[in-house]
Amino acid sequence: MSEINNIKSSYNRLLQGNRDWAAIKTKEDPEFFKNLTMGQNPEYLWIGCSDSRVPANEITDTKSGEIFVHRNIANLVVHTDMNLMSVVYYAVEVLRVKHIIVCGHYGCGGVLAAMENSDQGFVNNWLRHIKEVYQKNVIELESIQDFKERSNRLVELNVIEQVRNLAKTKVVQNAWKNRTVQVHGWVYGFNDGLITDLNAMHDELIDLEPIFRYKL
Ligand code: CO
């Protein structure tokens, strides 16, 4: 097969897959798409890694309409990221989600790249945030001899840091003041398909250093 035919067939596979999926969904539940047109009312905001192996709905066995999703390299919560901050604002203030989940994953390419000193081009700027997490926890991390174990721990520490970053936002603090929103830190493992809850949850401002607390 020529290269162009190869590209066409890999592309058409998705469109055919979509048609098959739509037909199955309609057969299973004739109201499925009609219900989706009525709007969304998700209870969860998912902040996950862009990694193709960590699809939010699939690994939590949830359906369209159940999870509001934002994904980026290594599931980072960066306060100057207009995209992420808009998603958080909309999810909390408008959709009024009950849970915000930061889900990292073991073997994360972004975390592994941040542990090296190689030049990752434009991505350097993004990975810098993970290097800061590494440096903040350097004593604990460098006491772990095995590289894979050390990287797994950095994956966890990175998730915990992102949960803390969420807690530092006015949007989340304001939500805590007025209602219950839980923030969770999870790590997904490819080896067994299971999610570990890191219990990094912040639902009280008490966990946050005074300098980060807003008078609301
Ligand atoms: Co990743």
Side-chain angles (χ1 to χ4, degrees):
M1 202 185 282
S2 72
E3 199 188 339
I4 189 73
N5 280 339
N6 215 338
I7 288 170
K8 266 190 194 163
S9 86
S10 70
Y11 160 81
N12 282 324
R13 201 190 116 219
L14 298 191
L15 294 173
Q16 186 55 51
N18 166 257
R19 288 188 288 267
D20 296 344
W21 173 81
I24 290 165
K25 285 286 157 193
T26 307
K27 201 177 163 198
E28 281 172 3
D29 175 9
E31 303 290 294
F32 184 81
F33 292 108
K34 194 183 155 206
N35 288 339
L36 290 184
T37 61
M38 312 283 270
Q40 62 170 336
N41 189 22
E43 285 186 19
Y44 314 92
L45 164 60
W46 176 278
I47 299 170
C49 185
S50 295
D51 193 302
S52 59
R53 299 165 293 179
V54 196
N57 284 120
E58 197 176 333
I59 67 172
T60 55
D61 197 23
T62 47
K63 296 191 282 284
S64 302
E66 289 195 86
I67 308 186
F68 198 63
V69 174
H70 177 88
R71 290 168 70 178
N72 61 42
I73 293 173
N75 39 270
L76 300 185
V77 175
V78 178
H79 290 197
T80 49
D81 178 353
M82 292 270 287
N83 185 350
L84 177 275
M85 291 306 291
S86 301
V87 168
V88 172
Y89 180 87
Y90 189 77
V92 173
E93 293 283 330
V94 182
L95 296 173
R96 299 181 72 78
V97 296
K98 295 183 179 133
H99 304 270
I100 305 176
I101 297 156
V102 177
C103 186
H105 65 102
Y106 295 119
C108 181
V111 170
L112 292 170
M115 289 174 77
E116 292 174 8
N117 295 94
S118 53
D119 178 2
Q120 301 288 335
F122 188 77
V123 188
N124 286 341
N125 306 296
W126 191 249
L127 300 182
R128 238 285 304 283
H129 298 288
I130 309 171
K131 288 183 185 286
E132 299 286 358
V133 179
Y134 186 100
Q135 191 55 38
K136 204 171 164 181
N137 299 280
V138 68
I139 294 170
E140 179 188 346
L141 288 166
E142 297 198 349
S143 73
I144 304 169
Q145 297 306 311
D146 183 69
F147 181 83
K148 196 178 165 201
E149 267 179 50
R150 194 192 302 166
S151 71
N152 285 346
R153 183 58 185 148
L154 182 56
V155 163
E156 294 173 355
L157 290 168
N158 181 50
V159 166
I160 292 165
E161 190 70 20
Q162 307 320 313
V163 166
R164 290 178 52 78
N165 284 344
L166 280 168
K168 291 173 189 173
T169 64
K170 186 204 148 186
V171 181
V172 169
Q173 289 182 23
N174 194 44
W176 279 340
K177 190 165 174 261
N178 300 305
R179 63 189 182 94
T180 307
V181 177
Q182 294 191 325
V183 186
H184 311 271
W186 290 357
V187 181
Y188 171 72
F190 300 135
N191 53 330
D192 54 9
L194 295 177
I195 289 165
T196 304
D197 187 343
L198 299 175
N199 295 313
M201 197 174 70
H202 282 261
D203 54 5
E204 297 211 23
L205 288 176
I206 254 165
D207 294 338
L208 203 61
E209 293 89 343
I211 193 72
F212 296 113
R213 294 181 208 163
Y214 292 105
K215 277 185 197 156
L216 299 169

